[in-house]
């Protein structure tokens, strides 16, 4: 039974010093220049090494979510365009790619990696314009990591016999790849690089709101002289994706996106011989123990949920704080989100850019309302929002119950749900009580506790005293309804080979 | 008066117990010459659900055991099987095998258990990696069991098929619910008696007898099952399994081309199928250079 004296002591401890960056320090605007990028007025479909007009003649707009201005219009691929792309991929697989000496295949992939580096600034600018993410993230994370991914897998092409002991790795054929809008270029790299290294050919569809960097990548692939048809990039919405999934000429489906669509794909390919890897949703638990270095932990939690506006499938969206430090951590979190700069993604000081689309902003608002209705306390930063474009303040919910929808469902926005716990067993139970199992985090100073927790959490990627770190050599992918198969590292090769 | 033979009651195996099916139903499989084999339990959906509860309850403990200990238990299973060879040969010959085939199948089954006993504490090293990330982090990937696996065993074989699908699943730390061969169920029941005397915790392996045509859909419908293995090439069933597996994204494996009698019937890649790869990151302090990252 705690005495009154103790209670006062605890109360005093929670009075942390509030950081007030905005009063003494004002940030001048530091915008990146749009002139670093060339965006065409219109993009056709990249099929068989050429730009081909869509057979329907239809195009759709892609806009800048930070300004709602049209950037370009891209072709809408229908069934016959998908068919052309798959045929081109099949032809390239049979006649060129599968018979090419592995080291030559590898050299093509190296060449693509180098060209991404050469055009890094342009790609970063386009990524930010088309998707809304802060230029600092496009420049320092998305584009370099995409290039590194090609570099990593390029080197595997002629070393596959070392990857799978006692087995011969054979390519699957034509890979149909469908990628999301949160890391457009990086996801294209995650999909294309291992597929090519293992001798497959590709039909890739970027998301309809963020097609431009994938189309820029198509230009790079063309410039790299990759044999025609080895990589085909077609644009469109869900229907185009469904056409790829259902095409009988496709041997393998690789999909990153929502669990809902992942399940549809799993059903759609039943009764076929198509292989699939699915990288789907998540609701990661991020756990802070009372012995953790709290300032570092708070920084990690902020990065874990607000990186890329929270449009991250592995985002640390469920924070579990040990009761004894909960008040202190929540205070620090609230103070910290006040200092986050929300606004123009092209500004190099911006921490949180634009929400990717109107539709996604609506989804986030829907969940904010659900959270309030369920009785959780909402706290949002007081920062001003730009008048145009799609923006959302960084938001924290406290007093969240395990059964609340904002603690169970993926919001995919800058919204953190905070829950508390007392014991190790309790937090493991709560953390694992989710249909998802993509990622998890734990913050503690005690080594043996780290390994106890990382071992018991049912998730494919576990960050201890860090969060949201990625590397081409590091396998990524989920347990349970977060999907199956791994991307990255040696294990990422498995998704694109048949072992004989 | 000659001695009256004592007939064996063939029951199912759930959570380390030998209940009859809760449904009270039975069927009578026969061999080629039409001889009745036994009154065998015709397991129901409820039996399957009970078995999943038992398998889930056993999962944490089994997955948490030292790999070495799992290895010891699989070896013990081989010892127990070896000791009861005669009974299995008898049952196999009753189910249409020649004496020579039966002896071969039982010997192979013992050897297969020993093969996987050896893998229990080695496959992790084969499928793990330390990943040379570019940032200042220690990063490694290791396999972990996927959870509860439902298995529809090979139908054409009485023993070797059953042993070959169970062993890699439990060697990797999973627990399972297995539906035995419908037409050759005797060895499966007797094998569960081997399991029961091998220090294998109750619930790690649960064996039901019955009809795949009736039970297959429940095997893949259940939301607390993580993976399904199906060993027949019936394309309608395969399609049904893939469709239903989408409910909670079960991992699905069709071992319909495997010759269990041959060496192709054993490999660490069978263990790998029911493993998940977990990647763990931790910062490495960088005292001499820039500060540690988080």
């Amino acid at each position: 039974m705690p005495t009154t004296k103790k209670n006062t002591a605890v109360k005093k401890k929670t009075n942390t010093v509030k950081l007030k960056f905005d009063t003494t320090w004002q940030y001048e605007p530091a915008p990146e220049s749009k002139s670093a990028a060339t965006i065409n007025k219109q993009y056709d479909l990249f099929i068989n090494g050429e730009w081909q007009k869509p057979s329907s003649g239809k195009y759709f707009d892609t806009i800048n979510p930070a300004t709602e201005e049209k950037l370009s219009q891209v072709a809408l691929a229908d069934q016959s365009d998908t068919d052309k792309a798959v045929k081109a991929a099949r032809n390239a697989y049979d006649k060129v790619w599968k018979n090419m000496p592995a080291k030559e295949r590898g050299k093509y992939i190296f060449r693509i990696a180098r060209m991404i580096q050469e055009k890094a600034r342009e790609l970063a600018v386009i990524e930010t314009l088309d998707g809304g993410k802060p230029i600092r993230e496009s420049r320092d994370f998305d584009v370099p990591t995409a290039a590194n991914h090609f570099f990593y897998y390029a080197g595997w092409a002629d070393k596959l016999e070392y990857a799978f002991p006692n087995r011969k790795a054979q390519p699957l054929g034509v890979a149909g790849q469908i990628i999301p809008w949160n890391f457009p270029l990086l996801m294209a790299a995650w999909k294309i690089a291992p597929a090519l290294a293992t001798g497959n050919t590709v039909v890739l569809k970027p998301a309809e709101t963020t097609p431009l960097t994938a189309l820029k990548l198509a230009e790079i692939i063309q410039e790299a002289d990759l044999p025609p048809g080895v990589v085909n990039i077609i644009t469109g919405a869900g229907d185009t994706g469904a056409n790829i999934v259902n095409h009988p000429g496709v041997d393998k489906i690789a999909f990153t996106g929502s669990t809902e669509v992942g399940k549809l794909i799993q059903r759609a390919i039943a009764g076929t011989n198509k292989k699939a890897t699915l990288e789907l949703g998540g609701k990661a638990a991020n756990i802070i123990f009372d012995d953790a270095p709290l300032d570092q932990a708070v920084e990690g939690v902020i990065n874990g949920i607000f990186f890329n506006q929270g449009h991250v499938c592995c985002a640390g969206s469920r924070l579990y704080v040990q009761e004894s430090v909960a008040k202190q951590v929540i205070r620090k979190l609230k103070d910290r989100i006040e200092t986050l700069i929300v606004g123009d993604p092209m500004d190099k000081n911006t921490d949180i850019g634009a929400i990717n689309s109107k539709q996604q902003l609506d989804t986030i608002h829907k969940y904010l309302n659900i959270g309030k209705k369920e009785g959780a306390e909402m706290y949002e930063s007081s920062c001003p929002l730009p008048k145009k474009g799609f923006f959302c303040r960084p938001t924290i919910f406290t007093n969240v119950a395990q059964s609340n929808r904002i603690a169970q469902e993926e919001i995919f926005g800058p919204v953190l749900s905070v829950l508390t716990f007392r014991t190790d067993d309790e937090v493991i139970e709560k953390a694992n009580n989710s249909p998802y199992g993509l990622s998890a985090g734990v913050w503690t100073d005690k080594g043996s506790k780290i390994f106890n927790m990382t071992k018991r959490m049912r998730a494919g990627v576990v960050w201890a005293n860090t969060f949201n770190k990625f590397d081409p050599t590091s396998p990524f992918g989920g347990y349970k309804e977060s999907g199956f198969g791994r991307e990255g590292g040696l294990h990422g090769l498995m998704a694109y080979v048949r072992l004989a | 008066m000659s001695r009256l033979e004592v007939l064996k009651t063939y029951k199912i195996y759930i959570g380390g117990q030998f209940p009859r099916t809760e449904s009270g139903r039975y069927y009578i499989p026969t061999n080629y010459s039409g001889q009745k084999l036994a009154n065998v339990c015709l397991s129901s959906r409820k039996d399957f659900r009970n078995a999943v509860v038992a398998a889930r309850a056993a999962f944490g403990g089994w997955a948490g055991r030292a790999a070495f200990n799992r290895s010891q238990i699989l070896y013990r299973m081989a010892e127990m099987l070896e000791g009861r060879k005669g009974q299995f040969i008898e049952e196999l010959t009753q189910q249409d095998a020649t004496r020579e085939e039966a002896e071969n199948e039982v010997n192979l089954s013992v050897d297969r258990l020993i093969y996987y006993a050896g893998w229990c504490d080695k496959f992790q090293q084969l499928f793990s990696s330390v990943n040379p990330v570019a940032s200042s982090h220690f990063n490694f990937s290791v396999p972990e069991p996927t959870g509860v696996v439902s298995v529809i065993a090979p139908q054409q074989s009485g023993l070797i098929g059953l042993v070959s699908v169970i062993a890699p699943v439990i060697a990797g730390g999973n627990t399972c619910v297995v539906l035995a061969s419908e037409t050759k169920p005797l060895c499966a029941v007797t094998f569960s008696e081997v399991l029961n005397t091998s220090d294998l915790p109750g619930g790690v392996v649960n064996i039901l007898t019955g009809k795949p045509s009736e039970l297959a859909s429940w095997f893949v419908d259940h939301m607390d099952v993580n993976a399904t293995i199906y060993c027949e090439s019936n394309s309608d069933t395969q399609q049904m399994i893939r469709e239903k597996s989408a409910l909670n994204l079960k991992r699905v494996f069709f071992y319909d081309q495997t010759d269990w009698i041959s060496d192709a019937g054993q490999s660490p890649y069978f263990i790998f199928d029911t493993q998940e790869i977990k990647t763990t990151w931790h910062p490495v302090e960088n005292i001499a250079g820039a500060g540690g990252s988080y």
Side-chain angles (χ1 to χ4, degrees):
Chain A
M1 190 90 179
T3 62
T4 335
K5 222 178 180 182
K6 253 188 186 165
N7 273 342
T8 348
V10 170
K11 222 173 196 181
K12 261 186 191 164
K13 230 174 146 186
T14 57
N15 288 334
T16 58
V17 181
K18 188 170 175 174
L19 304 168
K20 288 190 170 175
F21 288 122
D22 54 339
T23 49
T24 46
W25 296 86
Q26 289 291 343
Y27 285 89
E28 290 297 319
E32 167 63 289
S33 167
K34 281 180 199 171
S35 65
T38 313
I39 299 176
N40 299 346
K41 282 215 168 71
Q42 178 177 305
Y43 285 93
D44 292 322
L45 305 167
F46 185 67
I47 297 173
N48 207 23
E50 300 166 346
W51 294 97
Q52 302 194 14
K53 298 234 171 285
S55 57
S56 66
K58 284 185 191 153
Y59 292 82
F60 62 96
D61 292 349
T62 182
I63 65 162
N64 178 346
T67 61
E68 300 177 52
E69 285 162 6
K70 177 177 167 180
L71 290 168
S72 178
Q73 60 179 24
V74 299
L76 180 65
D78 67 8
Q79 179 79 57
S80 64
D81 300 314
T82 307
D83 196 47
K84 262 198 266 179
V86 173
K87 280 191 176 131
R90 171 66 55 193
N91 198 38
Y93 175 74
D94 286 337
K95 299 203 173 127
V96 185
W97 200 240
K98 78 172 173 192
N99 303 319
M100 184 179 288
K103 70 168 184 175
E104 299 303 316
R105 217 166 60 215
K107 279 154 69 183
Y108 274 112
I109 308 169
F110 276 121
R111 197 187 264 190
I112 294 168
R114 265 288 190 255
M115 285 185 178
I116 292 174
Q117 289 182 324
E118 287 165 2
K119 300 188 178 194
R121 185 171 175 204
E122 179 177 27
L123 286 162
V125 168
I126 298 175
E127 198 73 306
T128 285
L129 288 174
D130 201 22
K133 67 173 64 203
I135 185 71
R136 217 175 51 218
E137 288 176 14
S138 309
R139 182 193 66 193
D140 298 345
F141 176 69
D142 290 69
V143 176
T145 314
N148 295 356
H149 217 83
F150 277 101
F151 263 105
Y152 176 76
Y153 279 109
W156 267 122
D158 58 353
K159 300 170 190 67
L160 295 174
E161 61 264 42
Y162 298 96
F164 305 103
N166 219 19
R167 289 285 184 278
K168 198 173 171 347
Q170 297 168 339
L172 297 171
V174 176
Q177 308 180 320
I178 299 160
I179 59 171
W181 44 260
N182 56 346
F183 297 97
L185 180 69
L186 183 59
M187 289 301 108
W190 278 27
K191 294 282 181 286
I192 295 173
L196 297 188
T198 46
N200 300 277
T201 58
V202 164
V203 177
L204 176 116
K205 186 193 89 68
E208 65 267 32
T209 61
T210 55
L212 294 184
T213 42
L215 294 165
K216 207 75 197 172
L217 181 62
E219 289 178 2
I220 288 172
I221 283 165
Q222 201 175 27
E223 194 183 329
D225 265 333
L226 194 73
V230 172
V231 173
N232 306 275
I233 296 179
I234 61 175
T235 42
D239 287 347
T240 311
N243 288 339
I244 295 176
V245 169
N246 294 322
H247 198 289
V250 170
D251 301 295
K252 148 100 201 174
I253 302 294
F255 171 77
T256 297
S258 71
T259 291
E260 192 191 346
V261 176
K263 289 178 176 180
L264 289 177
I265 290 175
Q266 172 97 323
R267 280 191 196 102
I269 61 171
T272 72
N273 287 325
K274 288 173 196 171
K275 273 188 75 167
T277 41
L278 305 172
E279 203 272 88
L280 310 174
K283 189 78 188 176
N286 202 354
I287 302 171
I288 300 182
F289 283 97
D290 58 5
D291 65 348
L294 293 186
D295 288 327
Q296 281 182 41
V298 165
E299 280 310 298
V301 169
I302 293 284
N303 171 54
I305 183 63
F306 299 122
F307 176 58
N308 199 35
Q309 296 73 245
H311 301 329
V312 185
C313 44
C314 54
S317 51
R318 275 189 296 157
L319 177 66
Y320 289 95
V321 191
Q322 199 154 24
E323 250 180 37
S324 48
V325 291
K327 266 190 182 171
Q328 211 179 335
V329 167
I330 290 168
R331 180 77 259 145
K332 282 175 189 281
L333 282 170
K334 286 178 176 173
D335 290 348
R336 183 65 178 90
I337 63 170
E338 278 298 319
T339 67
L340 293 172
I341 301 172
V342 182
D344 182 7
M346 289 290 275
D347 193 311
K348 291 165 193 159
N349 292 322
T350 294
D351 295 309
I352 298 184
I355 300 302
N356 186 266
S357 65
K358 174 83 171 53
Q359 193 193 359
Q360 186 57 28
L361 186 61
D362 291 344
T363 303
I364 296 167
H365 284 155
K366 182 189 87 183
Y367 275 106
L368 296 183
N369 284 327
I370 290 172
K372 282 186 278 188
K373 271 192 196 150
E374 283 178 320
E377 272 171 51
M378 187 173 110
Y379 180 87
E380 53 176 12
S381 160
S382 63
C383 65
L385 294 184
K387 291 212 170 55
K388 281 198 103 179
F390 316 129
F391 291 90
C392 180
R393 293 189 180 87
T395 305
I396 296 173
F397 277 107
T398 55
N399 278 341
V400 179
Q402 178 77 19
S403 59
N404 286 169
R405 285 182 66 188
I406 53 168
Q408 290 287 332
E409 297 172 22
E410 184 173 42
I411 300 173
F412 226 62
V415 183
L416 178 68
S417 298
V418 185
L419 301 92
T420 59
F421 70 96
R422 289 183 183 175
T423 67
D424 297 13
D425 284 339
E426 179 194 352
V427 76
I428 279 291
E429 178 83 34
K430 285 178 165 174
N432 285 339
N433 184 0
S434 163
Y436 295 117
L438 187 53
S439 65
V442 58
W443 300 82
T444 167
D445 229 11
K446 199 171 172 199
S448 56
K449 188 182 268 179
I450 290 174
F451 286 115
N452 182 24
M453 300 311 280
T454 57
K455 200 172 175 188
R456 289 164 73 191
M457 287 198 276
R458 303 286 292 160
V461 184
V462 183
W463 288 289
N465 292 329
T466 183
F467 210 93
N468 269 351
K469 298 291 169 192
F470 308 89
D471 193 278
T473 67
S474 174
F476 183 93
Y479 283 31
K480 300 192 278 187
E481 294 188 29
S482 289
F484 42 76
R486 292 293 175 269
E487 294 182 284
L490 188 158
H491 298 86
L493 293 168
M494 190 69 116
Y496 290 98
V497 296
R498 183 180 295 114
L499 296 181
Chain B
M1 187 184 156
S2 65
R3 183 180 173 275
L4 182 70
E5 195 190 355
V6 177
L7 294 175
K8 173 173 168 176
T9 309
Y10 285 88
K11 301 206 281 187
I12 56 180
Y13 186 53
I14 299 176
Q17 309 280 314
F18 293 92
R20 287 200 174 83
T21 166
E22 63 79 37
S23 68
R25 305 178 307 166
Y26 69 99
Y27 73 107
I28 306 173
T30 54
N31 63 13
Y32 288 150
S33 52
Q35 189 197 347
K36 289 176 181 173
L37 296 176
N39 296 319
V40 175
C41 288
L42 185 59
S43 302
S44 66
R45 180 188 186 185
K46 181 75 168 78
D47 292 321
F48 174 70
R49 287 160 64 176
N50 292 340
V52 172
V53 170
R56 177 58 67 189
F59 174 62
W62 182 242
R65 290 225 175 190
F68 177 74
N69 183 248
R70 285 205 300 269
S71 173
Q72 298 255 296
I73 290 173
L74 263 82
Y75 189 80
R76 182 73 179 159
M77 284 161 52
E79 286 178 349
M80 293 295 105
L81 184 56
E82 177 88 24
R84 297 176 69 160
K85 262 164 86 169
Q87 190 180 357
F88 282 96
I89 291 168
E90 196 66 31
E91 284 173 350
L92 285 171
T93 47
Q94 244 184 304
Q95 296 171 112
D96 300 320
T98 65
R99 180 110 201 141
E100 196 184 345
E101 284 167 351
E103 276 173 14
N104 183 40
E105 184 166 348
V106 177
N107 287 340
L108 260 177
S109 300
V110 174
D111 291 354
R112 192 139 294 169
L113 284 171
I114 287 175
Y115 174 84
Y116 282 109
W119 270 122
C120 285
D121 53 3
K122 295 169 193 69
F123 77 90
Q124 297 87 341
Q125 291 174 311
L126 196 66
F127 297 123
S128 289
S129 60
V130 172
N131 310 309
V133 296
S135 54
S136 180
H137 291 90
F138 180 59
N139 175 301
F140 61 97
S141 301
V142 290
E144 283 188 347
T146 197
V148 175
V149 183
S150 65
V151 183
I152 297 170
Q155 296 292 305
Q156 297 312 311
S157 117
L159 182 64
I160 183 69
L162 183 84
V163 169
S164 302
V165 289
I166 290 176
V169 167
I170 63 171
N174 299 283
T175 59
C176 58
V177 181
V178 187
L179 181 59
S181 165
E182 180 182 346
T183 54
K184 301 175 194 289
L186 301 190
C187 294
V189 177
T190 307
F191 186 65
S192 66
E193 292 156 19
V194 166
L195 299 175
N196 200 247
T197 49
S198 302
D199 300 323
L200 186 75
V204 172
V205 176
N206 305 275
I207 299 179
L208 307 181
T209 51
K211 295 181 186 300
S213 57
E214 185 187 26
L215 291 175
S217 71
W218 309 128
F219 268 57
V220 72
D221 237 358
H222 200 296
M223 291 297 277
D224 205 23
V225 169
N226 299 92
T228 298
I229 292 171
Y230 177 64
C231 305
E232 300 303 307
S233 50
N234 182 319
S235 58
D236 289 344
T237 309
Q238 286 193 356
Q239 177 162 357
M240 180 277 291
I241 287 175
R242 272 226 192 281
E243 276 169 9
K244 293 208 165 192
S245 70
L247 269 175
N248 63 340
L249 290 167
K250 285 179 188 68
R251 289 75 172 117
V252 171
F253 304 96
F254 298 140
Y255 301 154
D256 55 353
Q257 304 292 326
T258 312
D259 176 9
W260 301 109
I261 292 289
S262 76
D263 275 351
Q266 61 181 32
S267 129
Y269 293 97
F270 284 120
I271 303 178
F272 185 76
D273 279 347
T274 47
Q275 298 291 306
E276 303 286 331
I277 295 297
K278 175 184 276 181
T279 299
T280 306
W281 294 70
H282 196 279
V284 175
E285 193 176 38
N286 194 352
I287 294 173
S293 52
Y294 46 79

